[in-house]
Amino acid sequence: ITERIDYENELRQLAFGERAEGVAEGKADIDWALRRGELFLVYQPKVSLHDGRTIGTEALMRWRHPQRGLISPNEFIPEAERRGAIEEMTYWAIEKAVTDMKPVLQDMPHFYTAVNLSAQMFNDPGLVAKILCILQRVNFPPDRLVLEITETGIMNNLALCREMLQELMNHGVRIAMDDFGKGYSSLDSLRQLPVAILKIDKNFVDRLEDEKDLIIVKAVIRLAKELNIKVLAEGIETKKQWQQLAALQCDYGQGYYFGKPHATISL
Ligand code: C2E
Ligand code: CA
Ligand code: CA
Ligand code: CA
């Protein structure tokens, strides 16, 4: 209730304040969303496919816009990336995610939380230092944080990204390759980047009935195992998909079948 009152108070101030102009512009809104307190995180469980037990969460961003309602990250993240707002939002997300996860760690010492990292973040030379600084401030063990990256954008700037990711890894932070199988250079990025977890794209999970897709998924899981990389299948919506993937020795899973993104961390 307190939150609600503050929120509305803030909006009233906005209507009369200098920032009202930015709101009227619509798109520029994302520059102010964080400071207006309109962004929040939801958490989706990650499970072990062997026994269905939760092993961690992924933090996903949401924007509750005062006029437009709830906006999907597919819509506002690209906009935030174009406008350069993504940096501040990401550091906020990392700090919020590890702060929310911290009390859980006492009972679940092996849990981890994952946060998505846009390729744009690597333009900031202070990226590694800032992330380590957040972890230190919150007193959060770095090996309980996973950063999910996609190869899009990263491969243009490979040497630099590799160096930064390596440094994070040296401090215990793990890297997950998101949406694996979607791009062209997947295999090259596996070879070149210090990846600990590979997330098989939902498109493959949707088409396990298809013989070719099944063969590809099998091969990816085997490849990952030989490279000593854990595999997580995303977008699992049915028990059948779970059983199929578990039979293929896929380590972890995520999807509506196990739990939708939720405002609190579910154990
Ligand atoms: P992603 O990282 O690939 O996240 C997975 C998306 O699939 C999420 O959508 C999630 O809610 C959805 N999902 C999970 N399980 C299922 C399922 O069983 N069925 C279906 N149909 N969907 C499922 P969401 O939350 O809308 O996020 C979309 C994308 O926005 C994310 O894709 C990610 O690329 C981006 N994103 C979200 N939060 C952040 C963030 O904090 N930072 C950055 N840079 N990107 C973010
Ligand atoms: Ca992700
Ligand atoms: Ca994904
Ligand atoms: Ca995606």
Side-chain angles (χ1 to χ4, degrees):
I1 290 174
T2 323
E3 217 170 275
R4 176 96 197 144
I5 294 167
D6 286 344
Y7 181 66
E8 278 169 3
N9 206 18
E10 172 92 15
L11 282 183
R12 217 168 295 129
Q13 284 174 4
L14 263 173
F16 299 104
E18 53 188 287
R19 287 187 272 156
E21 215 181 300
V23 176
E25 273 169 26
K27 289 246 163 175
D29 264 12
I30 191 64
D31 297 345
W32 292 102
L34 180 58
R35 271 171 252 184
R36 286 197 306 248
E38 293 165 6
L39 298 183
F40 62 102
L41 296 178
V42 288
Y43 296 100
Q44 184 177 37
K46 293 172 186 275
V47 305
S48 157
L49 288 186
H50 169 65
D51 53 13
R53 281 169 58 174
T54 306
I55 49 122
T57 63
E58 175 175 1
L60 295 155
M61 218 183 277
R62 295 290 180 266
W63 182 10
R64 191 182 288 111
H65 188 282
Q67 277 89 41
R68 292 195 276 162
L70 204 60
I71 304 176
S72 156
N74 286 324
E75 212 177 305
F76 72 79
I77 295 283
E79 180 70 14
E81 289 172 349
R82 276 193 294 277
R83 302 188 56 85
I86 192 73
E87 281 201 9
E88 205 185 345
M89 286 161 56
T90 303
Y91 293 125
W92 168 81
I94 294 173
E95 177 143 11
K96 177 79 176 128
V98 298
T99 304
D100 285 353
M101 176 59 88
K102 213 185 156 195
V104 178
L105 285 189
Q106 271 147 20
D107 297 328
M108 304 282 192
H110 300 298
F111 250 54
Y112 69 86
T113 194
V115 180
N116 291 284
L117 207 64
S118 297
Q120 273 81 355
M121 296 304 291
F122 294 94
N123 296 331
D124 177 5
L127 174 73
V128 175
K130 282 178 192 164
I131 292 174
L132 295 176
C133 182
I134 291 169
L135 293 172
Q136 205 161 45
R137 189 162 61 232
V138 180
N139 192 18
F140 190 87
D143 63 348
R144 301 297 119 202
L145 174 66
V146 169
L147 297 172
E148 299 195 356
I149 61 171
T150 52
E151 60 207 339
T152 335
I154 282 192
M155 295 315 275
N156 306 327
N157 210 347
L158 187 68
L160 182 72
C161 293
R162 182 171 47 206
E163 205 174 297
M164 287 176 159
L165 294 176
Q166 188 65 50
E167 206 183 326
L168 284 165
M169 200 194 74
N170 292 344
H171 283 88
V173 177
R174 279 170 295 165
I175 307 301
M177 179 64 69
D178 212 341
D179 302 340
F180 188 81
K182 239 174 154 182
Y184 312 100
S185 47
S186 303
L187 294 178
D188 200 34
S189 56
L190 276 194
R191 188 169 63 83
Q192 307 235 34
L193 298 171
V195 174
I197 302 158
L198 189 154
K199 296 186 75 175
I200 297 180
D201 193 69
K202 181 177 190 306
N203 281 323
F204 289 101
V205 174
D206 285 341
R207 295 192 308 244
L208 289 175
E209 313 286 315
D210 183 294
E211 200 184 336
K212 275 190 191 170
D213 287 69
L214 187 64
I215 290 170
I216 293 173
V217 169
K218 264 187 206 168
V220 165
I221 293 170
R222 259 201 28 217
L223 172 75
K225 288 224 180 302
E226 291 192 18
L227 289 169
N228 211 9
I229 295 172
K230 296 286 184 191
V231 189
L232 183 149
E234 50 174 24
I236 298 178
E237 293 181 344
T238 65
K239 187 169 187 182
K240 190 168 179 215
Q241 288 170 334
W242 172 17
Q243 286 169 337
Q244 276 180 298
L245 288 157
L248 296 177
Q249 307 292 316
C250 182
D251 303 291
Y252 311 121
Q254 211 179 325
Y256 292 170
Y257 181 75
F258 301 107
K260 289 193 173 182
H262 202 270
T264 54
I265 296 171
S266 54
L267 303 181

